[in-house]
């Protein structure tokens, strides 16, 4: 069989498998089966891909997400599972080094799925699979079948027992087909088409290698280039420099003038940030004291907003001045020192916001946004390190995007290893005597926290006031917290009855066993 025929066979097999194992089920153990089918298929189609650099690390990352999906079954673990599966497939099909270009190829696979599908059908010619003798056999059986049909009708009228047997067979066939069409409804047909689309984007590679070819023209290390003066004067960068520098942006002294402007700019920015950091060190690092008059939400968000602005500004300024030949200018010593100082001061700013977030968690408990700030700070810190490497080692902008993209994927995989809802609920309930407990927020978390709430059922009846609590944003019910909790437990057990072993995951199994041990399941 030719490759096109094999691809189509695997495509339809994947669509049917998707339809069978995911229909009205949770994404759990069935995801393991689907991932195994997809990976075996792509490695069968591209056997040499396993030897590609980094493929083993990608497979390891995907294996971790599969395990976390089956254990935690959180939205984050499902996102990590899908992202790593897509990356493995795309890195098998194309030559890539960057997450971003690989993502572009993945999008291309799905956007051009119909064209890839039609092209494979076109390649499957009618003479690929031959059926010798079928036409001849049909010709020889037409007359015997007609004769048998005549005598079948005569015997069914003449013999009552034979007629009863025929009727029973007819009733059985009628029931079978009625059940079949009940099973195969339009909704499920649409789900089958979804499975065809999902499998197609994974298994059918688009014909163009535009993103792969474009990426391999990119370099990690900068090279000194001799600019075409006409092209340079026609660029947007030249227009911007001319707007601010006038005639100093032109001529043989342009590079020296640009270096001077960069030194002055970074000196002013460093001075401004030095004042901000000095205030934070005095009042946040060593002089912080919490009182009820402080709005911690504004206190943290103000710092995070300033950090975002500062980092974006830092990236833009540094990438602008170190975009080209200024990296190789012999007298750029003070410009580099100014850039290093700017990066170091942003690291101090990261620490300041980290302390703000720490105070927030200490006095108000854990929540999604507070954890999100911590993750963001870690990514920003890594970004600052890579900007330092870019300037010090004369790396390209492509290097920044590539390395930070891989770090983001690594963060996603690591973050999927933690059940954050359980972590939030456990921390807040453990510190319920020290922080205002947002019970309504806890009731909006996943089912994994139900056993914890069962063990701390007293908090559901307690009257607590939470200023700017996330529960007020997400809690959409007129029921009391205790009533909502009882309804959540009932819904959990009723929902579990609908699923088969394909939806098994350790998280639901943990909740079920813990609640059953208290005898609650008997009530539902």
């Amino acid at each position: 069989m030719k490759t096109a025929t094999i691809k189509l066979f695997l495509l339809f097999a994947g669509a049917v498998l998707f339809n069978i194992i995911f229909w009205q089920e949770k994404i759990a153990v069935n995801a393991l089966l689907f991932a195994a089918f997809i990976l075996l298929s792509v490695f069968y189609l591209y056997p040499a891909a396993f030897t590609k650099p980094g493929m083993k690390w990608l497979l390891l990352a995907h294996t971790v997400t599969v395990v976390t999906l089956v254990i935690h079954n959180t939205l984050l673990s499902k996102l990590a599972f899908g992202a790593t599966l897509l990356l493995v497939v795309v890195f098998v099909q194309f030559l890539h080094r960057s997450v971003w270009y690989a993502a572009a190829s993945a999008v291309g696979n799905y956007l051009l799925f119909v064209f890839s599908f039609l092209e494979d059908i076109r390649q499957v010619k009618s003479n690929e699979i031959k059926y010798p003798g079928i036409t001849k056999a049909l010709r020889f059986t037409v007359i015997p079948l007609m004769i048998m049909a005549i005598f079948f009708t005569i015997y069914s009228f003449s013999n009552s027992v034979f007629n009863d047997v025929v009727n029973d067979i007819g009733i059985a066939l009628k029931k079978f087909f009625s059940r079949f069409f009940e099973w195969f409804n339009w909704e499920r047909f649409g789900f089958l088409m979804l499975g065809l689309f999902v499998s197609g984007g994974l298994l059918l590679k688009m014909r163009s290698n535009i993103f792969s070819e474009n990426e391999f023209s990119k370099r990690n290390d900068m090279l000194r280039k001799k600019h075409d003066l006409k092209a340079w004067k026609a660029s947007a960068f030249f227009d911007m420099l001319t707007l601010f520098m006038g005639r100093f942006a032109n001529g043989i002294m342009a590079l020296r003038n640009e270096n001077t402007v960069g030194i002055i700019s970074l000196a002013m920015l460093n001075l401004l940030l030095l004042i901000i950091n000095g205030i934070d060190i005095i009042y946040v690092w060593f002089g912080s004291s919490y009182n009820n008059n402080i709005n911690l939400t504004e206190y943290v968000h103000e710092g995070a907003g300033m950090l975002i602005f500062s980092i974006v500004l830092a990236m833009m300024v540094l990438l602008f001045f170190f975009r080209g030949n200024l990296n190789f200018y012999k007298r750029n010593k003070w410009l580099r020192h100014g850039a290093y100082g700017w990066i170091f001061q942003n690291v101090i700013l990261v620490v300041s916001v980290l302390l703000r977030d720490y105070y927030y968690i200490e006095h108000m408990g854990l929540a999604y946004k507070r954890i999100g700030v911590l993750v963001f700070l870690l990514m920003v810190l890594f970004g600052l390190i890579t900007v330092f490497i870019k300037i010090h080692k004369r790396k390209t902008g492509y290097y920044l995007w590539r390395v930070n993209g891989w770090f983001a994927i690594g963060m996603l995989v690591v973050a999927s290893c933690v059940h954050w809802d359980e972590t939030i609920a456990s921390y807040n309930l453990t510190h319920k005597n020290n922080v205002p407990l947002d019970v309504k927020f806890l009731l909006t978390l996943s089912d994994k926290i139900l056993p914890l709430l069962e063990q701390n059922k007293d908090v559901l009846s307690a009257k607590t006031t939470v200023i700017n609590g996330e529960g007020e944003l997400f809690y959409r019910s007129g029921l009391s917290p205790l009533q909502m909790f009882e309804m959540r437990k009932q819904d959990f057990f009723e929902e579990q009855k609908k699923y088969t072993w394909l939806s098994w995951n350790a998280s639901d199994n943990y909740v079920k066993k813990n609640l059953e041990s208290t005898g609650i399941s008997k009530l539902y």
Side-chain angles (χ1 to χ4, degrees), residues 37 48 54 76 125 179 213 233 337 361 388 415:
F37 171 80
L76 191 62
K125 298 179 181 179
R179 290 175 181 174
E213 293 170 356
K233 290 182 178 181
H337 288 336
I361 292 171
F388 173 83

Side-chain angles (χ1 to χ4, degrees), residues 113-125:
F113 158 67
V114 174
F115 299 100
S116 302
F117 178 69
L118 294 176
E119 178 65 21
D120 284 332
I121 289 180
R122 188 186 65 81
Q123 291 182 12
V124 179
K125 298 179 181 179

Side-chain angles (χ1 to χ4, degrees), residues 219-259:
R219 296 176 178 269
N220 288 317
D221 297 313
M222 296 190 74
L223 297 176
R224 187 164 190 171
K225 297 180 180 179
K226 186 176 181 181
H227 290 296
D228 184 347
L229 289 178
K230 291 184 178 179
W232 162 243
K233 290 182 178 181
S235 66
F237 279 125
F238 178 79
D239 291 338
M240 185 166 60
L241 283 175
T242 304
L243 178 65
F244 293 103
M245 297 175 60
R247 62 185 179 86
F248 294 105
N250 201 358
I252 59 175
M253 305 297 288
L255 198 62
R256 190 187 72 173
N257 295 334
E258 188 178 341
N259 180 66

Side-chain angles (χ1 to χ4, degrees), residues 196-224:
L196 188 69
F197 177 72
V198 171
S199 301
L202 292 169
L203 295 176
L204 300 186
K205 173 182 175 292
M206 66 175 178
R207 297 296 183 266
S208 173
N209 294 318
I210 181 173
F211 299 111
S212 179
E213 293 170 356
N214 187 268
E215 180 180 8
F216 272 81
S217 66
K218 305 295 182 183
R219 296 176 178 269
N220 288 317
D221 297 313
M222 296 190 74
L223 297 176
R224 187 164 190 171

Side-chain angles (χ1 to χ4, degrees), residues 287-296 299 359 363-364 467:
S288 176
S289 60
Y290 171 70
N291 59 70
N292 293 328
N293 295 324
I294 297 177
N295 189 324
L296 280 176
Y299 185 61
Y359 298 143
H363 294 288
M364 299 297 290
I467 303 172

Side-chain angles (χ1 to χ4, degrees), residues 105-170:
S105 290
V107 172
N109 276 355
Y110 277 102
L111 290 178
L112 301 176
F113 158 67
V114 174
F115 299 100
S116 302
F117 178 69
L118 294 176
E119 178 65 21
D120 284 332
I121 289 180
R122 188 186 65 81
Q123 291 182 12
V124 179
K125 298 179 181 179
S126 59
N127 59 357
E128 277 193 21
I129 303 176
K130 297 181 180 180
Y131 304 94
I134 289 182
T135 305
K136 184 178 180 181
L138 286 174
R139 290 176 179 175
F140 278 107
T141 55
V142 169
I143 294 177
L145 285 173
M146 292 176 63
I147 295 174
M148 190 186 75
I150 294 171
F151 280 92
F152 179 85
T153 305
I154 294 173
Y155 292 150
S156 63
F157 280 109
S158 62
N159 190 313
S160 59
V161 177
F162 180 74
N163 186 53
D164 291 339
V165 172
V166 171
N167 288 334
D168 290 340
I169 294 174

Side-chain angles (χ1 to χ4, degrees), residues 451-482:
L452 282 172
L453 286 178
E454 183 65 31
Q455 296 168 12
N456 297 270
K457 206 170 182 179
D458 57 300
V459 303
L460 299 173
S461 302
K463 293 183 179 180
T464 57
T465 302
V466 180
I467 303 172
N468 296 324
E470 294 191 29
E472 298 298 332
L473 298 175
F474 300 110
Y475 192 89
R476 295 287 184 266
S477 175
L479 299 176
S480 69
L482 187 59

